[in-house]
Amino acid sequence: MASKEEKRRRAALVQAMVAEDTAKAIEEMPISLAHLGQLFDHLDVELENGCDHTPRITAAFLTSNGLNLEVILPWLHDQGGFCDCEILANVEESWESEISKNT
Ligand SMILES: [Zn+2]
C-alpha cells in the first residue's frame, strides 16, 4: 500500500511533468518576454542585411541591454536558434503568442 509520503512523491512527479508547460517555461526563461519581443523586433530590422550565420546581432543586443548572454545564448541554442536568422525563425515561433499575450 502506498504511504502518504509515496503519494506525495508521486504527485510531485506528476507536477514536474505538467511543469513542461508554458507557464513554467516562462518562469524559467533567462530573459523576460518583453526583452525577447524587443530582440525579435531588432532582428527583424537588422536581418534585412542578411545573416552571417552567427548570433552576432543577438549577442550585441543582449550586451547593450545588460542581459546575461552566457545564459541566454545556450537557451536560444536549445530552441534551435544557433544564429540570428535561426533565432528569429525557430525561437520567435515558439514565443510570439506568449509575447503578444503578456506584453
Ligand atoms: Zn543565420
Side-chain angles (χ1 to χ4, degrees):
M1 196 182 86
S3 66
K4 264 188 188 156
E5 181 91 1
E6 178 64 16
K7 280 184 192 162
R8 242 199 313 266
R9 201 180 63 83
R10 282 187 203 159
L13 281 177
V14 171
Q15 257 169 19
M17 286 193 288
V18 175
E20 300 239 323
D21 128 95
T22 315
K24 181 81 176 172
I26 290 171
E27 203 175 293
E28 291 183 346
M29 62 201 274
I31 179 171
S32 69
L33 283 172
H35 272 133
L36 201 57
Q38 286 166 24
L39 170 64
F40 295 144
D41 288 346
H42 182 68
L43 286 172
D44 243 342
V45 175
E46 293 293 319
L47 284 173
E48 278 178 16
N49 305 317
C51 179
D52 63 4
H53 303 296
T54 68
R56 181 177 58 83
I57 301 166
T58 300
F61 174 90
L62 296 176
T63 305
S64 68
N65 284 278
L67 300 169
N68 189 344
L69 117 174
E70 282 175 33
V71 177
I72 298 168
L73 282 182
W75 177 79
L76 292 167
H77 288 180
D78 283 347
Q79 299 176 71
F82 290 92
C83 68
D84 294 318
C85 73
E86 290 175 341
I87 289 166
L88 195 59
N90 300 335
V91 187
E92 185 182 32
E93 199 173 297
S94 326
W95 295 101
E96 61 187 347
S97 68
E98 291 309 315
I99 291 168
S100 56
K101 255 191 273 172
N102 290 281
T103 54

